[in-house]
């Protein structure tokens, strides 16, 4: 999948996160900002990277602003933003976890 436009998903509420996606010619750039970065930063990055890999995203700017979201919320918000940012006509549901 190719990211062709900017997209957002999520909120700034507690236990949620905001995902911002934009096209990029610089490859894949992931920026993570979290209130719980010291405790869960590696886990957040792992969930983001595995979701991007499963959906075939190799280019784009991904900005995560986390407010203590669970892994399933991170995955769902990221998938939603990716689907909004791509020109996919049919969703490959088997790729979504």
């Amino acid at each position: 999948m190719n990211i062709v436009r900017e997209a957002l998903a999520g909120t700034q509420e507690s236990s949620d996160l905001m995902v911002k996606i934009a096209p990029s010619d610089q490859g894949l750039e992931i920026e993570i900002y979290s209130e719980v970065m010291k405790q869960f930063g590696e886990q957040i990055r792992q969930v983001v990277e595995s979701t991007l890999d499963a959906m075939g995203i190799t280019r784009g700017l991904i900005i995560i602003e986390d407010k203590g979201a669970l892994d399933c919320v991170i995955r769902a918000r990221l998938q939603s933003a990716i689907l909004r940012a791509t020109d996919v006509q049919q969703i490959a549901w088997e790729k979504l976890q």
Side-chain angles (χ1 to χ4, degrees):
M1 281 191 231
N2 291 325
I3 296 172
V4 295
R5 69 178 69 80
E6 293 182 7
L8 299 172
T11 69
Q12 295 285 332
E13 299 294 320
S14 180
S15 300
D16 202 353
L17 74 155
M18 177 69 74
V19 177
K20 300 174 185 177
I21 295 183
S24 174
D25 293 330
Q26 306 299 322
L28 188 59
E29 301 173 66
I30 302 170
E31 297 178 15
I32 300 174
Y33 305 98
S34 176
E35 295 176 347
V36 294
M37 195 66 171
K38 289 183 181 179
Q39 297 94 334
F40 300 107
E42 288 300 316
Q43 179 64 23
I44 294 168
R45 182 167 294 280
Q46 181 182 358
V47 171
V48 169
E49 289 176 352
S50 68
T51 302
L52 293 171
D53 186 51
M55 296 187 77
I57 302 298
T58 57
R59 283 183 177 200
L61 173 60
I62 315 296
I63 301 172
I64 307 290
E65 295 178 18
D66 176 57
K67 300 290 184 181
L70 298 173
D71 291 357
C72 58
V73 176
I74 297 169
R75 197 173 294 113
R77 295 297 193 195
L78 185 55
Q79 290 169 347
S80 296
I82 290 168
L83 293 174
R84 291 174 183 164
T86 60
D87 273 337
V88 174
Q89 300 301 317
Q90 261 191 306
I91 299 171
W93 293 107
E94 66 277 1
K95 290 185 180 180
L96 305 180
Q97 303 169 356

